[in-house]
Amino acid sequence: REYFGAFDERCREAVGEVMGEAGGAVTADELCQALMEASSSAMECCRALYLWTLEAVREPSGKDGSMDTAAPLFKDPRLESLGDFKGTWAERVSQLFVALARGCDLLAEVIIGYGRSPDDASVTVEVPNHCWAAVCVEGRWCLLDCTWKSFCAPPFAFFMQHFPLQRRWQLLPELKTKDDFWEMPRYSADFALLGLEIDGPIQSSVSLEVGSVPYSFTLDVPRGLIVRTELCDEEGKEVFWRSGASTSFHNVVGVQEGMCKTRIYTSPPHAGDFLLLVFVTSQQEKEQGKDPHSALSVKVSCLDTSQDGGDLLTYPLPNATELFFSNLCSLASPLDEPMLAHRETDFACSVPGADRAWLESKGEEVCELEPSDSDAGFIGNFIPAEGGSLSLLAAFPGDVKPRELLVFYPLSLTAIMVTEVRRPEVEDVSEETEEASALRQTFGRVDKNGDGRVNKADLLLAMKRMPDLAKTLRMSKSAVREGDGSMQEFERAFERLDRDQSGDLDWKEFSAVLVQE
């Protein structure tokens, strides 16, 4: 855009002179001659044709205007003499560009295929719905779309919104299928132009069950670009947890060769359909007050699998300040599991340039974090209290006051939600049975630290990942909620097993569920 800035102005002046001199209809020869004279290379001529087409055609009205076969093509009626173009509006625009390109001695072709518009890219269509052009510039084919304002983007960037019927026009080293195209997330043209890359699998639409871990994927982002994420509802409004906690979070997990490996997380606060949006901007653009570039979006559906349709929860993500991201800080733990009140928590983070870091709640220090062996790392172990928020603060050289980096909202034990199940009949079985063997495996999965004992927090956290665990504990309800008696039922089930009243269950105590009525 910077390269063509001055050239674009020269093109506008040249075209203005042609239009001004033409008293009546404008011929294709006159227009092509003016654009060729203003250009010093084939690429500049291609750019001039593209720019002129953008400014000459009249955009159709309505969501499906590009498919309109009767919409006027030109803003200026004098241009109707350039040709009798047929088809949809998108087809006619592409035919116009190709006709003029050939008039300027450039090889050009009209390409028909499937398009995912930037405004509605999540919709899959069964018949070709779009049209664009290919032009050969100095021996190399380039793709451009005058209807969606995409000029000679790299083939992969162009493919994000265009799938040609003739697959060779993908211009990719490895050709993709139509299914590959529709299963991709909604990318913007700026995604590849800004140098972003996908690291690992990512889908256009994902479904989560309430109570599942946050959905995540990884992007490689050029260092110096600022990432911002939002989770929006169907009306386009950003959603948050009732506590104010975030529903989206991104975390730099590594920096290599000028690229920041950035993990994107999202955790919907309730059942419904959402759209995860990822934006990117540079520090300079931000200081100039420019809007960030929309990079990609992923449709996220959160399914309520409970029988009573209750308001179940997943778990909130930390709120991050701008300093956390701009300073390339990173959170290692807790992230893939919720921070639970009254449960011992291992904390680990990286804060480059900080002299010290600590956790604070309600103005009081909770845990002083110790420097770790890793670069700029800090670690600690503490037990969060119930209610309120918890902040990660850091002190940097020269700062008078500490700087806040993250805010957490620890969950109470009653916030661990699971799927509703029906209480089964209990059979009396011995330890040699298949059921006993399966139960021992379950105990091992709950006993995360391997000390041979599990407590209430361990069980509630495991119930989120293992819906059948509530059935194993002989509970009539597996979704633990405030005010419906389910927490009291869980407490009674635990106390029946905790024979020595130690607050923990060993294998012998836990296996007693096999003979309970």
Side-chain angles (χ1 to χ4, degrees), residues 244-259:
S246 181
T247 55
S248 65
F249 178 73
H250 61 280
N251 198 33
V252 177
V253 296
V255 180
Q256 187 176 10
E257 297 179 355
M259 301 291 282

Side-chain angles (χ1 to χ4, degrees), residues 30-108:
E30 292 174 332
L31 182 60
C32 291
Q33 185 65 33
L35 295 176
M36 292 174 67
E37 290 177 355
S39 308
S40 59
S41 67
M43 178 56 79
E44 287 190 350
C45 184
C46 179
R47 173 70 179 185
L49 290 168
Y50 165 80
L51 184 67
W52 178 86
T53 304
L54 286 183
E55 297 189 357
V57 299
R58 181 195 300 272
E59 292 191 13
S61 59
K63 181 179 179 180
D64 300 321
S66 64
M67 300 294 289
D68 194 334
T69 58
L73 183 60
F74 297 105
K75 297 176 182 177
D76 191 330
R78 292 180 295 169
L79 298 176
E80 298 288 349
S81 60
L82 291 177
D84 184 20
F85 305 107
K86 303 292 186 181
T88 66
W89 179 79
E91 286 181 291
R92 288 180 284 148
V93 171
S94 299
Q95 291 168 13
L96 168 65
F97 175 87
V98 167
L100 294 176
R102 291 172 177 173
C104 292
D105 298 326
L106 294 174
L107 292 176

